[in-house]
Amino acid sequence: MLRGVKALRALGLLLLLGLALGQKSGGGVGGRPYVPSTPPPMSPGPAPVYPTPAPYYPVPGPVYVYPGGGGAAPVLVFFGLALVAFLMVRGLSRAGEEGPRASVGRLRLALLLSPGVQRALRRLAEEADTTTAKGLADLLDEVALVLLREAPAWRFASYEAREGTEEEVLGQFDAWMLEDRSTYRETFRHFEGKKVEAAYTPKVEPGGRYLVASLILAVRGSLPPEGPLNREKAREALLAFAASTPFTLLAFHLAWTPEKEGEGLTEEELLALYPNLEKL
């Protein structure tokens, strides 16, 4: 509860800070093709009808008694099988507890402004299939490719990661996505098949030279742990994001600002809106 209150306060301060600095345009694209792990209930069908077996009458005959045929042997076999089953269940349970069930990560890259990157991200956001896991995985691959080609222009970065149940990481995904959207004025959004575009007049200011791309990914399995960042570590995190597949991807969202050509973030705006960025 306390962490939730602190997060809301931080988000409120971020909103006020963004308004004070004059937020630039921003775009977002992504979705959550999440399917619960439990299958939906099935309607019961008609009960099967089996033929009634014919009555069986035992035929009297001689009874043979073999030495050692009864006693404690069947009991020992029964308890042995029960012990093996118990150990197997406990081993599977421990394996499930030790390994990460799901992970969510957020990678932010601040790079030198390029109209070509802005156009490329907008094109990918417009054309992406945001309703399926395959479409989101393809989008992530293409976004990673655009950013990797711009690696010489990277100047700052930050990376965060969490682990937990699928429900927990999807909750963190939503919180991070909301935080990203609060840092800009949303001029374009394509989320789970719905597109929204707002009228906006670009604010061209002297000193605007940065663009920020924020990638949030939730997956089944693990993502790289947090740690000090340099250019190579940021590249490794981006490649790990791109390595996700439609079978492991739970949710993906890309946010970038500025979205309109001609705008750029100043270094003051960059470090004030994203205080966790590390210089590369």
Side-chain angles (χ1 to χ4, degrees):
M1 175 65 87
L2 184 59
R3 292 180 65 183
V5 171
K6 288 182 178 179
L8 288 175
R9 287 178 179 173
L11 182 57
L13 290 174
L14 189 60
L15 284 168
L16 292 175
L17 182 60
L19 292 174
L21 291 172
Q23 292 173 323
K24 300 298 195 297
S25 60
V29 58
R32 295 165 302 205
Y34 177 60
V35 179
S37 56
T38 55
M42 300 180 62
S43 56
V49 178
Y50 300 101
T52 304
Y56 169 73
Y57 301 99
V59 179
V63 178
Y64 300 94
V65 178
Y66 297 92
V75 178
L76 293 176
V77 171
F78 172 78
F79 280 109
L81 293 174
L83 179 61
V84 170
F86 170 76
L87 293 175
M88 290 179 62
V89 171
R90 188 175 67 171
L92 292 173
S93 176
R94 286 184 175 179
E97 292 173 359
E98 291 173 359
R101 291 155 289 179
S103 304
V104 59
R106 175 167 64 177
L107 175 65
R108 282 174 171 164
L109 290 172
L111 54 153
L112 295 177
L113 183 64
S114 167
V117 174
Q118 288 175 304
R119 288 193 292 268
L121 295 180
R122 174 62 185 260
R123 176 182 58 81
L124 291 174
E126 287 183 338
E127 298 175 356
D129 176 6
T130 60
T131 61
T132 66
K134 183 181 184 307
L136 291 169
D138 292 342
L139 170 65
L140 175 53
D141 288 345
E142 293 300 319
V143 169
L145 180 60
V146 169
L147 295 176
L148 285 169
R149 286 173 174 168
E150 295 294 320
W154 297 357
R155 292 296 180 268
F156 300 89
S158 67
Y159 177 68
E160 304 163 87
R162 303 285 187 275
E163 293 181 352
T165 64
E166 292 184 7
E167 291 76 12
E168 288 170 344
V169 301
L170 286 172
Q172 184 64 64
F173 172 89
D174 288 341
W176 278 344
M177 181 173 60
L178 179 62
E179 185 179 11
D180 278 350
R181 294 176 64 194
S182 72
T183 61
Y184 54 75
R185 295 193 179 184
E186 201 165 64
T187 51
F188 178 80
R189 179 168 172 79
H190 183 191
F191 192 75
E192 295 180 357
K194 298 179 181 179
K195 294 182 182 179
V196 178
E197 187 167 3
Y200 178 83
T201 302
K203 299 176 182 178
V204 180
E205 299 176 358
R209 56 193 295 258
Y210 293 103
L211 177 144
V212 173
S214 180
L215 294 79
I216 308 175
L217 175 67
V219 295
R220 297 181 180 92
S222 60
L223 289 172
E226 295 180 6
L229 276 184
N230 54 33
R231 191 173 297 273
E232 186 58 32
K233 292 294 184 183
R235 184 175 181 274
E236 288 176 5
L238 183 57
L239 289 173
F241 275 31
S244 61
T245 69
F247 302 102
T248 60
L249 188 146
L250 292 172
F252 172 65
H253 185 259
L254 164 71
W256 77 98
T257 180
E259 188 266 325
K260 295 295 184 181
E261 291 187 37
E263 285 192 331
L265 293 174
T266 66
E267 189 161 327
E268 177 188 11
E269 291 171 329
L270 180 71
L271 299 179
L273 289 171
Y274 308 101
N276 295 330
L277 289 176
E278 300 180 48
K279 190 173 180 61
L280 298 180

